Amino acid sequence: MNKPAQLELVGRKIRQLRRQRKLTQVELADRIGIHQSDLSRMEQGEYKVGLDTLLKILQTFDLSIGDFFEEGNRVQSVFDKLRTLSPAAQKEVESFIEFKRAQEVGDGESDEGESEGEDV
Amino acid sequence: MSEFITRAEELRREALAKVRAGEVEDALEIYDAALQFAGDDETRELITINKADAMIAIERSGPEVQALPTIVMRRRSLRHVYLAAYALVFKYRMEKELKRAAFYGQLALQSAEEANEALWKIGALNELASIYDADSKFEQAIECGEKAIALIEKIEDHAERNFAYGLALENLGASKLLNDEFEEGLAMIERAMPFISSPQYMAEANIDLCFGYLGLDKLDEARRFGEAALELASESRQIRNAHYLLGEVAYKSEDIELAEFHFDKLAEFYPDFRHLKSLLFAIDLRSMVNLKL
C-alpha cells in the first residue's frame, strides 16, 4: 500500500504542469503567494512548503489524479504487478530487464559507431 | 531635563506593559506621549524601537517601523541594534521575506555576541532557527537550535529556563524530523513535552510526533499522537495537518474508511478542489510538506 512520495517526482511534475499551462514561475508563485525563487527550489525538490500552499498549487492545476501522476502511477503499477509474482518469476523478469538494458546499450554503441563511420 | 527623561521612561514602561497585556492600540498612544517627553536622542530612539515593535505585532507600518533599518546601521548602542534588528526579523518572517529576516537575524546575533548577552543570543538563535526551517535550510536550523539549547541550559532561573527549554527543544526536534533524522527528533520532542504547558504548543508537539512516528512506520504511536493533536488543535493549520497525518496513518494501516474520514475533513478546507481526496489517496505528500508553515 505504498504511494509514490518522492520530493523530486512531485517537483518535476509541478514544473511540467506549469509549463503545459504556459505559466511562468513568477505567475504561479504570485497566484499561490510564495516567492518565485522558492517555487524554483520546490520544482527542483529542494524546498518544502506548508500543506496549505502545496494543496493550493495542486488545486491550481485542477487535474484528476490520473492526469497528475500518470508517470508515477505507471511505475507503481509495474512494481505492484511484479510483487504478485513468485520469486522465480521475479528473477526471470529481472533477467529480462537486464537483457533489454544490455540490448539498448548495445544499440546505442552501434549507432555511435555508424555515425562515426559516416563522418569518416 | 532629567525630569522629562524620567517621565518618558515611565511612559515607555507603561506602554510596554500594555503591549504585554495585548492592549496594543493603547500602548501606541502612550508611546506617542513618551516621545513628547523624550529629552535626548537615545531615549527617543529606544521609544521609537518599542513603538515600531508594537506596530509590527499588529501588522501596521509607519515612520517608526521604517526607521528601524537606519537605527540598526547607526549603531548608537548594542542594545538598540539588537532590539531594532530583532523587531525587523519578526516583521520579515511574518511577511515571508526570509532572506531579509535571516540578514537581520544575523545582525541581532552579532550584536548579542558583542554585548555577551546570553538571553539576546538565545532570542536571535531561536528566530534564526525558525527562519532557516521555513526556508528548508534544516541543517542551519539545527545548528542554531543546538546553540540555543546549550545557552538555555546555563540559565539559572528555573522557571525561565524550563519555558525556553521546552519550546527550543521542541523546535529543534521538529527541525531534525524535517531533516529526516527521525529517531533523534522524536527523542528531543518527547523530552521537551513535560516543559510545555500551552495547549497550542502541545498540539504542535503532538503533530510533530505523529509525523515522526509515521516516518518510522510506527503507526499505533503515530495515531495516538495525531489524535491527541486533533483534540488540542486550535489553529486551522494545526487541524488541517492533524487530519492530513491521521489520514496517512489510516491509509498505511489499510483502514480506508478512516482515511476517507480524515481526508474528507481536510477537503472541507478546500471546497473548490474537486480531486483532493483522490489525490491524497494516490500520493504521499509528506516529503514535500513542512508542517511548521
Side-chain angles (χ1 to χ4, degrees):
Chain A
M1 270 249 171
N2 289 325
K3 300 188 273 188
Q6 299 86 347
L7 190 61
E8 282 175 40
L9 170 73
V10 183
R12 251 199 336 262
K13 202 71 198 177
I14 287 171
R15 167 169 289 178
Q16 186 189 330
L17 288 166
R18 177 179 60 72
R19 285 177 172 167
Q20 278 170 6
R21 299 297 168 100
K22 301 201 186 315
L23 285 170
T24 65
Q25 283 184 342
V26 174
E27 285 164 341
L28 179 58
D30 273 354
R31 277 196 201 181
I32 53 178
I34 64 171
H35 286 279
Q36 174 269 329
S37 58
D38 294 338
L39 178 63
S40 168
R41 285 170 63 204
M42 189 186 170
E43 289 182 348
Q44 290 168 54
E46 293 168 2
Y47 183 72
K48 297 185 184 194
V49 290
L51 181 65
D52 187 51
T53 304
L54 181 57
L55 295 180
K56 278 179 185 159
I57 294 172
L58 301 179
Q59 187 176 4
T60 301
F61 300 121
D62 190 30
L63 296 171
S64 70
I65 190 59
D67 297 329
F68 200 91
F69 280 97
E70 198 184 349
E71 187 187 340
N73 279 348
R74 201 163 52 231
V75 172
Q76 191 62 40
S77 128
V78 172
F79 280 132
D80 288 343
K81 283 176 191 160
L82 183 69
R83 271 205 299 265
T84 61
L85 299 176
S86 67
Q90 283 185 14
K91 200 100 190 128
E92 235 174 279
V93 172
E94 221 177 291
S95 306
F96 181 68
I97 292 170
E98 282 309 314
F99 165 70
K100 290 302 287 180
R101 276 181 57 191
Q103 203 178 29
E104 283 187 6
V105 170
D107 284 345
E109 278 168 2
S110 67
D111 286 349
E112 239 172 76
E114 273 172 29
S115 67
E116 272 171 18
E118 279 167 16
D119 284 343
V120 170
Chain B
M1 178 72 83
S2 70
E3 195 185 320
F4 281 133
I5 294 168
T6 305
R7 180 68 186 135
E9 179 59 16
E10 260 177 26
L11 287 166
R12 190 184 73 86
R13 288 180 191 184
E14 196 185 320
L16 278 174
K18 289 275 182 195
V19 171
R20 285 192 200 106
E23 297 164 24
V24 182
E25 294 290 349
D26 291 348
L28 295 180
E29 282 180 25
I30 300 169
Y31 279 131
D32 283 337
L35 280 167
Q36 300 290 321
F37 283 99
D40 64 279
D41 288 344
E42 190 160 351
T43 307
R44 198 169 295 114
E45 190 172 271
L46 181 58
I47 297 167
T48 301
I49 297 167
N50 290 156
K51 186 180 172 194
D53 202 23
M55 291 168 82
I56 290 167
I58 53 169
E59 295 177 44
R60 196 178 295 174
S61 193
E64 290 83 1
V65 177
Q66 285 158 13
L68 289 174
T70 313
I71 292 171
V72 171
M73 297 309 163
R74 191 186 292 138
R75 292 181 63 86
R76 191 183 297 280
S77 75
L78 286 174
R79 184 183 177 211
H80 290 193
V81 173
Y82 175 78
L83 290 173
Y86 193 85
L88 285 167
V89 171
F90 189 75
K91 170 182 154 62
Y92 288 122
R93 189 156 67 83
M94 292 299 107
E95 291 172 2
K96 296 180 182 164
E97 292 275 358
L98 298 179
K99 278 162 194 66
R100 284 185 188 188
F103 171 75
Y104 285 108
Q106 289 294 349
L107 286 180
L109 180 61
Q110 200 181 312
S111 56
E113 277 167 353
E114 278 179 55
N116 199 21
E117 286 282 351
L119 290 178
W120 297 6
K121 280 190 241 178
I122 292 167
L125 286 165
N126 280 336
E127 279 296 323
L128 280 168
S130 299
I131 294 161
Y132 290 135
D133 261 339
D135 206 17
S136 293
K137 293 176 177 164
F138 304 119
E139 281 173 14
Q140 283 165 271
I142 289 168
E143 197 185 322
C144 290
E146 283 172 344
K147 283 182 187 166
I149 297 282
L151 289 166
I152 291 167
E153 282 170 344
K154 290 182 190 157
I155 297 176
E156 283 174 8
D157 181 325
H158 279 248
E160 197 172 353
R161 184 179 61 196
N162 288 349
F163 177 73
Y165 185 72
L167 296 187
L169 197 58
E170 204 286 318
N171 285 333
L172 178 57
S175 303
K176 296 253 177 190
L177 296 181
L178 287 166
N179 204 37
D180 296 334
E181 297 173 44
F182 289 106
E183 304 272 7
E184 215 177 324
L186 285 168
M188 281 180 172
I189 297 169
E190 286 183 337
R191 235 169 46 230
M193 286 186 77
F195 300 101
I196 300 173
S197 52
S198 136
Q200 187 197 355
Y201 289 122
M202 277 302 277
E204 205 63 38
N206 278 295
I207 287 170
D208 290 334
L209 289 172
C210 176
F211 177 79
Y213 279 112
L214 184 55
L216 291 178
D217 270 339
K218 293 188 174 174
L219 302 179
D220 289 340
E221 285 93 334
R223 182 180 302 108
R224 184 158 56 87
F225 288 114
E227 283 168 358
L230 199 53
E231 260 180 50
L232 292 165
S234 52
E235 292 174 22
S236 162
R237 178 184 60 85
Q238 291 178 334
I239 296 167
R240 278 181 275 137
N241 284 343
H243 278 303
Y244 169 62
L245 292 174
L246 283 166
E248 286 292 337
V249 173
Y251 182 91
K252 285 192 110 182
S253 312
E254 304 195 12
D255 187 342
I256 300 304
E257 208 176 310
L258 187 59
E260 201 156 346
F261 167 78
H262 287 295
F263 289 156
D264 271 333
K265 286 283 178 192
L266 179 60
E268 284 173 17
F269 288 90
Y270 304 91
D272 300 328
F273 194 168
R274 292 177 298 161
H275 304 296
L276 175 58
K277 201 167 76 176
S278 61
L279 183 134
L280 292 172
F281 267 110
I283 52 164
D284 185 340
L285 300 173
R286 273 177 298 150
S287 61
M288 297 218 65
V289 168
N290 179 347
L291 295 174
K292 293 291 182 193
L293 300 178

